[in-house]
């Protein structure tokens, strides 16, 4: 039986070789029709073999069918390709007559826009999630305790006058910064604490450079063995990531009641490259955020041990970051919600 | 605060030369930020000292004169409009090219006469807001020299931001001390060695009622002060520092305040009712006519300076009109006092008056300054008038210890800053700051002086001093490893972000609005009549009436946004906001309001513009509902959503409802009431929904689980029925689902009709139903049985008829 199959295979190989030879001689569609009829037509070897398949012993019939069909498929494909070679020029010529204007506009799908404030928050959150921080939240209407007292602003503290506060009642107010989240979070969590807290804050101030509501992002890292060098590394990483690796970053000593030492952080001005221009008021630097080591006093409010625990905190204005990053020159645009502004981002 | 370079140099000794730029940089990098540095002399380029040698009347103009003016090098012809000069007067002459305001001096002809420059007035020189005629200089000046150089204006001005913890820096001396800490320069503190320290006689009595309110009150009487003008250089310094010149005595009090940091106040002794000064809380209903001409009502929280008749000054804030220094003043009572900071802060806030003096008192200045200031004042006055003032100083002072010993551990420095510095390095820094100290093995003991008593209380305060003088730039950045932590969003945060993205991807623009609105607006939308929204929180001290209350509904803000855009001819809007609303909550233990995160969605105008391949179409209610379904489908399942009728005053009564999730109402949806849009002058339909995101997210939270994909094909049938108009689509769908059982895979309404082709009061709904089973291919007959059951029940319960 194996002999029979082998002999069939030999015959098929010969048929195919002959087909290849004949194929090379084909010069027209007419020749191709003849070729097709010769190798696949009723009288062809392939058709005849399949027609008389019952002459083979029962066991090898499937193998015979498979073997023959393989050759038939090869021949069929070659013929299809050859036919396409002969017809495609004519076909294209016909299709080309159907003129079609590719330049007409497509069906409109309008895109929307995530608010630029949301985008900047998201960008900064992603950076810190990458550094192992979680996102924390807190109420926008706060008690005096969380907004001031537990942040080292006792009632008569002069730093309170830096915040023009909206009050609801004597002890309840609209938070003037996102820093209360620091206290609320530490009260409820043990070490280590690594959080970012974005949110709206309110100050009674309304002019070209102030809106009564704006957005801040607070950061807090409290652990064992955290020092000022770590704060510098973290904020340099942030500034480079938001503004670009080529920008210089500097830390200036400053004062905040709830950090000690405190710093303000500047990036080099991208408009003048540090030489001084109108945007940076001639200093070559643009202030982007405030930061510092958490004042040990705060740990007393949340029952941490100030002798063994260290940490840093920082806070930035989202609108300010957006203005510097995108060159927006008017703060009021953020809350006017002009669609032409929103759509740019 | 503004101070000048030359003024600072008066208090600094040293061979090294530091440019104004160097100083500004060093100050900024050690925590005293220099916001701006300007060369004052810039304005006075090409303005020189000159002398008038003769003048005649202008032949063609009555009001003008033609002057010959000597610049030391040449004689120039100057046409001048002023009348206040005479021959030999020394003047400030602007030569060709000088810039006066925006005006550049050129040689020109004025009414036919040649003029080669301009003689300037004080106003033109920017030295005083008003002036009468040109500036005539008195004293010794060198002709031809630059005006700025001869009058103290060849100087640099620093605009400095002093942080609230550093009252000691609110003076030239204080800033000089800071400079000495970060340069090789040494502080030269004035000593006034020749001062007569004798006590004052007891002709005058000073009584402090409460030393808490006034820890120290020093004063001196200066008698028979001869009339003199304030020297020009002092007036110029004050002008550079934005202080207006008044008269000699007042100018000197201001000068000394800027230099030493101690506010002074001068009374006309002869206008005081009695020879006794009392420092006391004001009485209820007491009032005072202040220097600014306003009568101020006082109360017991205000400290006043009084004679035996009544208040003569509001302590630390403003003097009284009746005892003010005036043209006839001969004898001056100079007050140099220390008042309670918080009390001054409260009063100044309450009466809305902040001054250079109150700003200093608020921040708690060193009581040791009172005497220094009096001595400095006297020195200047002596120098100017040539008089002597030998009587002594009154001084009421309940002395308290203002020195503090702090141990500063080296390991604490390392723990906080990450740098290993100790012994001499630390000791030197403290020394430069005026803090005496002693080196020990593991720590330094530091003695905080009086002028830093308020802000250096603890070890950490000293560490901060070390850090800023050592230089933040000298502390290396050090990576904070995070390999054992995983950062993440909470489920809520992630879902809100996903919702935001879903809306943005379907063409919405995200708006953000202020959290407050006006009460008028609130009432306008009739929210006071809606139980859900009426419990608003009022701001006690709002910015204005547009920002009076916190939002209980986001709708008004989005309508505002819409109006703002319509004004700019942007009429087609798809906007949303995710923000908190605030409701009054008396039950919360802190009395804090309830804060709920809401999603507000507003659409209005056209959904499609007319285009070459589509028609114009306006948004309708079902566009809005589609958004809602889209969100429900994405985050839970469309089947949980159900809109029920509920009338809100701000919605069209027939198109107004609640958004229900399973059985809980978690939002509102509707078309804005035409009455409102009319009043608001909006000429298009507005559709709006607002969803409680906190509840939505809580209810939609679910584990994601794999369901196998159906292996067997579905069979679809169409079903068109006619029912009463009152029957809702929801009723019909519920019934179909009930009867369809597990095999009903999907249901879609593909046609809705109301009109002539069917009976009045009826409507026609046509559904496409898709059946299938998970374990086999359904047979046609099975589907027929189910659909028959559906039709029977619809007919029985709702009188539905098949539409042929």
């Amino acid at each position: 039986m194996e002999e029979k199959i082998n002999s069939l295979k030999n015959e098929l190989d010969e048929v195919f070789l002959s087909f290849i030879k004949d194929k090379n001689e084909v010069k027209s569609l007419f020749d191709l029709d003849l070729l097709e009829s010769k190798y696949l037509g009723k009288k062809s070897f392939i058709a005849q073999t399949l027609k008389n398949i019952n002459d083979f012993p029962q066991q090898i019939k499937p193998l015979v069918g498979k073997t023959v069909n393989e050759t038939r498929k090869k021949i069929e494909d070659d013929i299809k390709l050859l036919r396409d070679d002969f017809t495609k020029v004519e076909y294209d010529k016909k299709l080309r007559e159907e003129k079609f204007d590719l330049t007409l506009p497509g069906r409109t799908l309008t895109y929307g826009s995530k608010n630029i404030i949301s985008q900047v928050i998201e960008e900064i959150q992603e950076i810190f999630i990458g550094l192992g921080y979680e996102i924390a939240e807190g109420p926008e209407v706060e008690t005096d305790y969380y907004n001031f007292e537990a942040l080292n602003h006792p009632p008569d503290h002069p730093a309170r006058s830096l915040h023009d506060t909206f009050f609801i009642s004597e002890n309840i107010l609209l938070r003037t910064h996102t820093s209360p989240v620091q206290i609320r979070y530490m009260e409820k969590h043990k070490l280590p604490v690594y959080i970012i807290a974005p949110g709206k804050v309110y100050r009674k101030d309304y002019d070209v450079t102030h809106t009564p509501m704006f957005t801040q992002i607070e950061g807090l890292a409290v652990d064992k063995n955290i020092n000022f060098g770590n704060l510098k590394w973290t904020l340099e990483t942030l500034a480079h990531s938001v503004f670009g690796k080529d920008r210089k970053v500097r830390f200036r000593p400053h004062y905040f009641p709830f950090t000690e030492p405190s710093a303000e952080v500047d990036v080099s001005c991208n408009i003048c490259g540090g030489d001084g221009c109108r945007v940076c008021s001639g200093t070559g630097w643009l202030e982007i955020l405030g930061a510092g080591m958490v004042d040990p006093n705060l740990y007393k409010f949340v029952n941490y041990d100030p002798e063994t625990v260290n940490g840093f905190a920082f806070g930035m204005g989202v609108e300010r970051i957006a203005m510097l990053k995108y060159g927006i020159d008017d703060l009021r645009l953020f809350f006017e919600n002009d669609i032409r502004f929103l759509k740019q981002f | 605060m503004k101070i000048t370079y030359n003024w600072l140099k008066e208090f600094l000794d040293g061979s090294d030369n530091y440019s104004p730029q160097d100083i500004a940089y060093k100050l900024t990098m050690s925590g005293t930020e220099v916001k701006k540095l300007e060369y004052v002399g810039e304005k006075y380029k090409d303005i020189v000292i000159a002398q008038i040698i003769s003048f005649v009347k202008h032949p063609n103009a009555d009001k003008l004169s033609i002057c010959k003016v000597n610049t030391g090098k040449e004689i120039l012809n100057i046409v001048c409009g002023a009348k206040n000069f005479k021959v030999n007067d020394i003047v400030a002459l602007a030569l060709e090219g000088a810039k006066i305001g925006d005006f550049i001096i050129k040689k020109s002809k004025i009414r036919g006469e040649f003029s080669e420059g301009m003689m300037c007035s004080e106003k033109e020189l920017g030295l005083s807001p008003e002036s009468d005629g040109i500036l005539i200089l008195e004293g010794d000046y060198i002709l031809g020299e630059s005006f700025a150089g001869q009058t103290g204006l060849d100087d640099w001005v620093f605009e400095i931001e002093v942080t609230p913890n550093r009252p000691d820096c609110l003076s030239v001396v204080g800033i000089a001390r800071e400079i000495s800490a970060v340069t090789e320069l040494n502080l030269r503190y004035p000593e006034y060695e020749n001062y007569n320290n004798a006590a004052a006689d007891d002709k005058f009595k000073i009584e402090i009622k409460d030393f808490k309110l006034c820890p120290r009150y020093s004063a001196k009487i200066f008698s028979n002060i001869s009339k003199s003008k304030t020297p020009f250089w002092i007036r110029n310094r004050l002008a550079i520092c934005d202080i207006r010149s008044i008269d000699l005595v007042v100018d000197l009090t201001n000068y000394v305040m800027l230099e030493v940091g101690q506010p002074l106040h001068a009374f006309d002794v002869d206008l005081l009712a009695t020879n006794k000064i009392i420092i006391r809380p004001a009485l209820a209903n007491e009032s005072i006519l202040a220097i600014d001409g306003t009568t101020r009502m006082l109360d017991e929280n205000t400290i006043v300076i009084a004679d035996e008749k009544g208040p003569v000054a509001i302590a630390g804030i403003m003097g009284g009109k009746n005892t003010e220094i005036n043209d006839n003043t001969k004898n001056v009572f100079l007050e140099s006092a220390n008042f309670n900071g918080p009390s001054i802060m409260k009063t100044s806030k309450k009466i809305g008056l902040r001054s250079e003096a109150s700003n200093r008192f608020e921040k708690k200045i060193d009581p040791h300054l009172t005497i220094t200031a009096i001595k400095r004042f006297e020195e200047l006055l002596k120098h100017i008038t040539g008089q002597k003032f030998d009587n002594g100083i009154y001084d009421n002072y309940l002395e308290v210890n203002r020195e503090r010993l702090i141990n500063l551990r080296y390991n604490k420095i390392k723990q906080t800053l990450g740098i290993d510095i100790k012994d001499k390095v630390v000791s030197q820094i403290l020394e430069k700051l005026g803090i005496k100290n002693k080196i020990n093995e593991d720590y330094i003991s530091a003695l905080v002086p009086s002028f830093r008593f308020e802000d250096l209380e603890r070890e950490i305060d000293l560490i901060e001093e070390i850090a800023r003088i050592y230089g933040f730039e000298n502390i290396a950045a050090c990576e904070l490893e995070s390999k054992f932590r995983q950062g993440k969003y909470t489920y809520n945060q992630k879902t809100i972000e996903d919702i935001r993205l879903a809306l943005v991807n379907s063409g919405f623009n995200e708006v953000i609005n202020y959290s407050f609105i006006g009460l008028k607006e609130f009432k306008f939308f009739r929210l006071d009549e809606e139980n859900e929204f009426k419990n608003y929180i009022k701001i006690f001290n709002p910015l204005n009436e547009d920002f009076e209350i916190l939002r209980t509904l986001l709708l008004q803000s989005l309508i505002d946004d819409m109006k703002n855009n319509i004004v700019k001819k942007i009429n087609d809007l798809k906007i949303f906001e995710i923000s908190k609303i605030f409701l009054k909550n008396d039950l919360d233990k802190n009395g804090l309001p309830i804060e709920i995160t809401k999603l507000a969605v507003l659409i209005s105008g056209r959904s499609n513009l007319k285009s070459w391949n589509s028609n114009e179409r306006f948004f309708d209610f079902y566009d809005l509902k589609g958004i809602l379904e889209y969100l429900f489908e994405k985050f839970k399942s469309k089947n949980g959503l159900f809109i029920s009728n509920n009338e809100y005053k701000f919605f069209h009564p027939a198109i107004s409802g609640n958004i229900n999730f399973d059985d809980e109402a978690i939002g509102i949806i509707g078309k804005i009431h035409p009455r409102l849009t009319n009043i608001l002058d909006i000429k298009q339909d507005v559709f709006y929904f607002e969803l409680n995101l906190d509840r939505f997210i809580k209810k939609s939270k679910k584990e994601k689980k794999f369901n196998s994909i159906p292996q067997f094909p579905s069979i679809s049938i169409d079903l068109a029925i006619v029912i009463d108009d009152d029957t809702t689509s929801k009723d019909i769908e519920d019934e179909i689902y009930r009867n369809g059982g597990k095999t009903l895979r999907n249901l879609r309404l593909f046609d809705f009709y109301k009109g002539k082709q069917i009976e009045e009061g009826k409507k026609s709904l046509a559904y496409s139903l898709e059946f299938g089973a998970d374990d086999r291919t359904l047979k046609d007959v099975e589907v027929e049985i189910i659909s028959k059951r559906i039709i029977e029940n619809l007919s029985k319960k709702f009188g539905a008829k098949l539409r042929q």
Side-chain angles (χ1 to χ4, degrees), chain A residues 66-294:
Chain A
K66 191 177 165 242
T67 313
V68 176
N69 275 326
E70 272 168 12
T71 307
R72 191 184 70 173
K73 183 87 188 5
K74 281 202 289 194
I75 293 174
E76 269 176 4
D77 287 351
D78 277 7
I79 287 173
K80 262 188 207 161
L81 191 64
L82 208 53
R83 192 174 297 282
D84 192 48
D85 282 345
F86 281 114
T87 54
K88 71 172 198 261
V89 175
E90 196 59 25
Y91 200 5
D92 282 354
K93 201 176 149 198
K94 228 162 125 193
L95 289 179
R96 219 167 268 133
E97 277 162 19
E98 304 171 11
K99 303 272 183 203
F100 193 86
D101 186 352
L102 295 170
T103 68
L104 281 175
R107 284 199 173 76
T108 312
L109 278 177
T110 40
Y111 64 91
S113 57
K114 198 184 276 191
N115 195 287
I116 180 166
I117 293 173
S118 305
Q119 288 185 46
V120 172
I121 291 175
E122 193 187 354
E123 180 180 349
I124 290 168
Q125 282 178 345
E126 298 284 344
I127 293 167
F128 281 97
I129 283 176
L131 294 175
Y133 287 61
E134 290 182 26
I135 316 298
E137 290 159 308
E140 292 174 29
V141 180
E142 261 298 1
T143 57
D144 185 279
Y145 176 78
Y146 286 109
N147 194 74
F148 287 127
E149 223 176 308
L151 290 165
N152 258 357
H153 293 69
D156 291 329
H157 200 283
R160 282 197 181 209
S161 65
L162 296 179
H163 302 242
D164 278 312
T165 311
F166 286 117
F167 286 95
I168 304 294
S169 64
E170 204 185 327
N171 282 313
I172 298 179
L173 43 82
L174 299 187
R175 66 174 175 191
T176 58
H177 44 191
T178 39
S179 310
V181 181
Q182 291 186 24
I183 302 297
R184 285 185 176 272
Y185 192 89
M186 287 194 283
E187 273 182 348
K188 292 213 173 94
H189 295 82
K190 290 193 182 126
L191 291 188
V193 170
Y194 291 89
I195 55 161
I196 288 292
K200 290 171 182 157
V201 300
Y202 305 86
R203 288 187 201 175
K204 199 179 165 187
D205 218 342
Y206 199 15
D207 57 35
V208 182
T209 54
H210 298 90
T211 48
M213 180 186 94
F214 59 102
T215 320
Q216 271 191 348
I217 298 181
E218 188 83 8
L220 176 70
V222 181
D223 206 336
K224 309 219 156 167
N225 301 321
I226 289 192
N227 60 45
F228 192 81
N230 300 136
L231 169 65
K232 277 187 80 174
W233 177 82
T234 304
L235 296 180
E236 279 174 10
T237 304
L238 168 73
H240 285 147
S241 171
V242 173
F243 293 104
K245 284 245 180 295
D246 54 325
R247 303 286 281 275
K248 279 182 260 166
V249 182
R250 77 171 186 185
F251 289 71
R252 268 184 294 110
H254 197 69
Y255 168 75
F256 301 109
F258 45 102
T259 50
E260 186 135 14
S262 303
E264 277 188 336
V265 181
D266 303 335
V267 292
S268 55
C269 178
N270 58 329
I271 309 285
C272 60
D275 297 336
C277 65
R278 251 192 51 215
V279 176
C280 58
S281 336
T283 61
W285 295 95
L286 301 164
E287 181 193 325
I288 54 165
L289 55 83
M293 302 303 293
V294 175

